[in-house]
């Protein structure tokens, strides 16, 4: 049976470490880091995500505030609000919960956030720096996957990895860190040989690449895509997918991309859903917020 990679436990360790670091930071005379979450519209899942982020922030000693807007606001109005937060000396991290309404250009909204305060790592400058292996703010889910692999002692150097999904916010940044040279500036490189699969990868090819992989990371949102016959015995399987489904009894539950009950019999290590990558994302967002506070250190007024 595979080892279960307990994301909840690792995330708690990270938050506990951050809590101590933030206490020390405050003792040094800096104000507590602060995070401002903006949510537009009434998507229930988005509201739950933001609520969890705010709770995690409070746990770590980060001041968190949520600003809620109706979906009817204009893009211009939102951009003005972001500008105000960019200029505020008491806001370190800004998070715009995606998706924004269809009336808005998501890329324009992401680029409006100051790259120093962009705790989601979605600003074009942060994405560019990640692609160049420079120190930057990395999207929280991708960073969570990397941190989980590292803290679980899974070897990646020279190993074969498959990333299923090529989204710019999840699959791509994961693949970038997995293949990058560890010696480069970011220090996040994992030196693996990486294959990226996506919706146009023929099923036979997907199976072939997975069967040869030491590490599989799936981020598609397709329940049951990764089956036991695709797993090399002993491989590590990281499930980034989170899909809400209704079971036969009419109950809703969260499931990942991986056929967990079967894969667990073959794999060497596997993440559960829920309780795997999800909590890691939230923990790494807190990490990014503290990093943003440190980025803005010069601007931060010391309270003596
Ligand atoms: P996220 O932002 O969580 O990564 P997206 O919905 O943006 O999710 O992306 C889903 C990804 O899954 C896309 O890159 C898509 O190409 C990939 N994908 C969809 N169907 C398949 C499939 N059958 N096999 C492999 N990859 C797939």
């Amino acid at each position: 049976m595979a080892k279960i990679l307990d994301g909840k436990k690792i995330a708690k360790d990270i938050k506990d470490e951050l809590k101590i670091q933030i206490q020390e930071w405050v003792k040094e005379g800096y104000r507590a880091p602060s995070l401002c979450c903006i949510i537009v519209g009434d998507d229930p899942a988005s509201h739950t995500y933001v609520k969890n982020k705010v709770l995690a922030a409070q746990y770590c000693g980060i001041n968190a505030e949520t600003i809620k807007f109706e979906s009817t606001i204009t893009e211009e109005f939102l951009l003005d609000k972001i500008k105000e937060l960019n200029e505020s000396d008491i806001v370190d991290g800004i998070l715009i919960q995606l998706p924004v309404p269809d009336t808005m250009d998501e890329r324009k909204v992401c680029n409006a956030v100051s790259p120093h305060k962009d705790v989601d790592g979605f600003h074009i400058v942060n994405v560019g720096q990640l692609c160049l292996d420079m120190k930057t703010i990395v999207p929280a889910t991708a960073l969570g996957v990397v941190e989980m692999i590292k803290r679980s002692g899974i070897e990646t150097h020279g190993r074969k990895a498959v990333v299923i999904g090529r989204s710019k916010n999840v699959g791509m940044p994961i693949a970038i860190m997995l293949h990058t040279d560890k010696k480069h500036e970011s220090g996040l490189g994992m030196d693996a040989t990486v294959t990226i699969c996506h919706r146009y990868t023929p099923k036979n090819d997907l199976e072939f690449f997975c069967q040869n992989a030491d590490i599989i990371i799936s981020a598609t949102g397709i329940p049951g895509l990764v089956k036991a016959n695709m797993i090399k015995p002993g491989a590590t399987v990281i499930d980034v997918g989170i899909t809400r489904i209704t079971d036969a009894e009419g109950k809703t539950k969260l499931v990942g991309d991986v056929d967990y009950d079967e894969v667990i019999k073959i794999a060497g290590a596997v993440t559960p859903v829920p309780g795997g990558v999800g909590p890691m994302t939230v923990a790494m967002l807190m990490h990014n917020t503290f990093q943003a506070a440190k980025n803005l250190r010069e601007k931060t007024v010391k309270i003596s």
Side-chain angles (χ1 to χ4, degrees), residues 13-298:
D13 291 346
I14 293 168
K15 286 186 289 180
D16 285 338
E17 290 162 19
L18 277 170
K19 194 176 180 171
I20 292 167
Q21 289 165 18
I22 290 170
Q23 278 166 359
E24 279 164 9
W25 165 266
V26 171
K27 259 193 227 150
E28 275 179 46
Y30 296 99
R31 62 159 174 73
S34 72
L35 172 67
C36 183
C37 304
I38 294 186
I39 181 160
V40 187
D42 52 13
D43 174 47
S46 291
H47 279 265
T48 307
Y49 292 145
V50 169
K51 219 159 103 189
N52 288 338
K53 290 167 187 176
V54 169
L55 286 174
Q58 286 162 349
Y59 180 87
C60 296
I62 294 169
N63 288 327
E65 179 198 8
T66 308
I67 304 178
K68 296 175 186 166
F69 293 119
E70 299 288 332
S71 58
T72 47
I73 63 162
T74 62
E75 183 184 271
E76 198 187 356
F77 178 88
L78 180 61
L79 296 181
D80 278 348
K81 188 68 208 172
I82 295 171
K83 188 165 178 280
E84 230 175 77
L85 298 171
N86 284 341
E87 287 164 4
S88 165
D89 283 336
I90 54 162
V91 173
D92 298 311
I94 303 170
L95 178 150
I96 318 294
Q97 183 65 41
L98 299 181
V100 288
D102 292 343
T103 49
M104 298 181 191
D105 177 347
E106 189 173 289
R107 177 71 356 243
K108 201 166 164 188
V109 170
C110 290
N111 285 343
V113 176
S114 157
H116 304 291
K117 299 191 178 190
D118 170 37
V119 288
D120 263 331
F122 294 163
H123 189 283
I124 191 167
V125 166
N126 286 324
V127 176
Q129 290 181 157
L130 177 67
C131 292
L132 294 172
D133 307 342
M134 294 161 73
K135 284 212 172 79
T136 192
I137 302 183
V138 179
T141 300
L143 194 57
V145 168
V146 168
E147 194 65 23
M148 194 177 212
I149 291 173
K150 284 188 178 157
R151 290 190 183 229
S152 306
I154 291 155
E155 182 59 82
T156 54
H157 185 93
R159 299 288 161 93
K160 290 190 273 294
V162 168
V163 179
I164 317 174
R166 60 177 170 184
S167 75
K168 298 300 168 205
N169 298 346
V170 183
M172 182 204 70
I174 292 172
I176 285 184
M177 287 182 281
L178 272 171
H179 85 262
T180 292
D181 191 332
K182 191 175 180 352
K183 292 194 214 93
H184 285 181
E185 183 194 299
S186 75
L188 295 168
M190 305 184 90
D191 293 319
T193 303
V194 180
T195 305
I196 302 170
C197 299
H198 50 74
R199 67 177 76 248
Y200 301 122
T201 306
K203 197 167 178 288
N204 286 346
D205 288 350
L206 177 68
E207 287 179 2
F208 170 79
F209 290 125
C210 286
Q211 281 159 357
N212 285 290
D214 303 302
I215 301 153
I216 298 172
I217 294 158
S218 186
T220 70
I222 302 173
L225 181 71
V226 180
K227 301 209 173 351
N229 72 329
M230 294 160 67
I231 311 297
K232 182 163 97 173
T236 296
V237 182
I238 306 224
D239 193 348
V240 189
I242 301 181
T243 308
R244 200 174 292 272
I245 60 157
T246 309
D247 68 12
E249 289 139 29
K251 281 191 201 142
T252 58
K253 61 172 188 172
L254 294 177
V255 294
D257 294 355
V258 175
D259 193 353
Y260 184 80
D261 292 340
E262 294 303 313
V263 165
I264 200 169
K265 296 176 191 164
I266 315 267
V270 65
T271 63
V273 176
V277 175
M280 292 299 295
T281 298
V282 178
M284 298 325 285
L285 182 69
M286 301 307 125
H287 165 95
N288 285 353
T289 303
F290 189 35
Q291 190 186 326
K294 288 188 278 188
N295 288 349
L296 297 167
R297 191 175 184 137
E298 286 81 53

